[in-house]
Amino acid sequence: MTELNFKCGNPGAVQFGNFINYYQFHPPNKRIAMLPTNIWDIVGQGTKYCALDVGCNAGDLTIALYDFLNQNESSKKCNILGIDIDSTLIQRANEKNHSDNIVFKCIDIMADQAPNDIIKEFLKSKKKTVFNIVFCFSITMWIHLNHGDEGLRRFLKKITYISNFLIIEPQPWKCYKTAVKRFKLGKSEFPKFQELKIRQKVEEEIENFIVEECDFDKVEESCRTEWGRKLLFFRRKNM
């Protein structure tokens, strides 16, 4: 995979959001700064944390999340699994990994069986049946563009099924238009874009689906980031 040239912060065009130098224009500390410090007791429930970072890219944010969780819950060292569809990015993540409590795996979360087996084995090794927390930073658009409305719903069902607490950062519709424009410049098109019925209110649709169809409560949301997105925080009902 070739290196991308980031002129004026433009990440170029990729199909799955797997930008090689993503953290050059979205440093991990900017997302860490958006995380509250008052929710981690209800996330951990007095146990050792087990977390999943979906779409971990080259691992910079996953490692920052691990450090953040340990700073907030110093007596409860966490384990975190970072997954990404891109094997080159996972290789980079493993090269910079500094802890045995962080694991990086190349997984397509939308594949039918293999990712489920790997995730189940990770949870089993930590004596868990679900993750205490799942992080999904700016991945929903890529799922949506490549797998359509039903694929997005299937993804949301899958991640809520394996988590007690979810932090998700959906891309608003304007990000879709930018991504599609960049991709067309490369003479390609996203396979499901023209079929999408979830469009202008995509953030609201995602929130409503998680609450109404996945049996989660929304507990908090952040203000919008400087790149125009917000973090949504959800907790499984009757947890």
Side-chain angles (χ1 to χ4, degrees):
M1 185 176 294
T2 58
E3 298 287 334
L4 296 176
N5 183 18
F6 296 97
K7 294 181 179 179
C8 301
N10 187 340
V14 296
Q15 184 173 355
F16 301 106
N18 49 322
F19 304 110
I20 282 290
N21 293 318
Y22 180 80
Y23 296 111
Q24 287 185 2
F25 58 99
H26 284 320
N29 65 296
K30 291 189 176 181
R31 280 196 174 93
I32 296 296
M34 304 297 294
L35 298 176
T37 58
N38 62 343
I39 65 171
W40 307 106
D41 282 340
I42 64 171
V43 173
Q45 290 187 312
T47 64
K48 191 172 183 178
Y49 277 32
C50 192
L52 173 67
D53 183 20
V54 183
C56 66
N57 198 270
D60 300 55
L61 180 56
T62 311
I63 293 169
L65 288 168
Y66 173 79
D67 293 337
F68 173 83
L69 290 173
N70 283 330
Q71 289 169 5
N72 280 272
E73 294 292 330
S74 58
S75 63
K76 307 172 190 171
K77 295 294 183 184
C78 74
N79 292 284
I80 185 165
L81 172 63
I83 64 173
D84 198 276
I85 196 172
D86 191 309
S87 60
T88 300
L89 294 175
I90 290 299
Q91 180 181 346
R92 291 190 175 194
N94 280 313
E95 288 170 355
K96 68 184 70 168
N97 189 7
H98 65 266
S99 173
D100 292 338
N101 293 328
I102 306 173
V103 175
F104 292 105
K105 294 288 185 180
C106 183
I107 292 176
D108 178 359
I109 191 69
M110 298 302 290
D112 290 333
Q113 191 55 42
N116 295 326
D117 292 341
I118 293 171
I119 289 169
K120 284 180 181 177
E121 284 301 312
F122 181 85
L123 286 169
K124 183 178 179 181
S125 72
K126 309 306 175 189
K127 299 180 180 180
K128 298 274 190 178
T129 56
V130 297
F131 292 94
N132 294 94
I133 186 166
V134 172
F135 298 97
C136 298
F137 292 100
S138 289
I139 187 174
T140 55
M141 177 181 72
W142 305 107
I143 299 290
H144 200 188
L145 285 171
N146 286 284
H147 298 277
D149 293 338
E150 286 307 310
L152 176 62
R153 295 186 186 104
R154 181 160 55 92
F155 170 72
L156 296 174
K157 276 283 190 182
K158 180 175 288 192
I159 59 172
T160 52
Y161 182 76
I162 59 173
S163 63
N164 279 333
F165 202 93
L166 173 66
I167 298 180
I168 191 166
E169 181 190 42
Q171 292 102 321
W173 184 247
K174 66 180 181 180
C175 294
Y176 285 64
K177 293 189 288 186
T178 300
V180 169
K181 182 178 179 180
R182 287 174 180 156
F183 211 55
K184 283 183 176 179
L185 290 175
K187 308 303 181 184
S188 299
E189 292 192 23
F190 289 102
K192 298 288 187 178
F193 177 68
Q194 297 300 331
E195 303 172 15
L196 299 183
K197 294 182 180 179
I198 300 174
R199 287 180 172 254
Q200 297 297 334
K201 297 182 178 180
V202 62
E203 293 169 293
E204 183 178 326
E205 293 271 4
I206 288 172
E207 178 179 328
N208 290 342
F209 186 84
I210 292 171
V211 171
E212 296 171 7
E213 302 295 332
C214 302
D215 209 28
F216 272 59
D217 288 321
K218 183 182 176 184
V219 295
E220 193 166 342
E221 73 173 53
S222 73
C223 59
R224 289 206 179 267
T225 63
E226 63 185 61
W227 52 94
R229 301 168 204 174
K230 59 185 177 181
L231 304 184
L232 307 177
F233 301 79
F234 300 90
R235 181 186 183 187
R236 183 184 298 277
K237 290 181 180 178
N238 304 317
M239 198 178 81

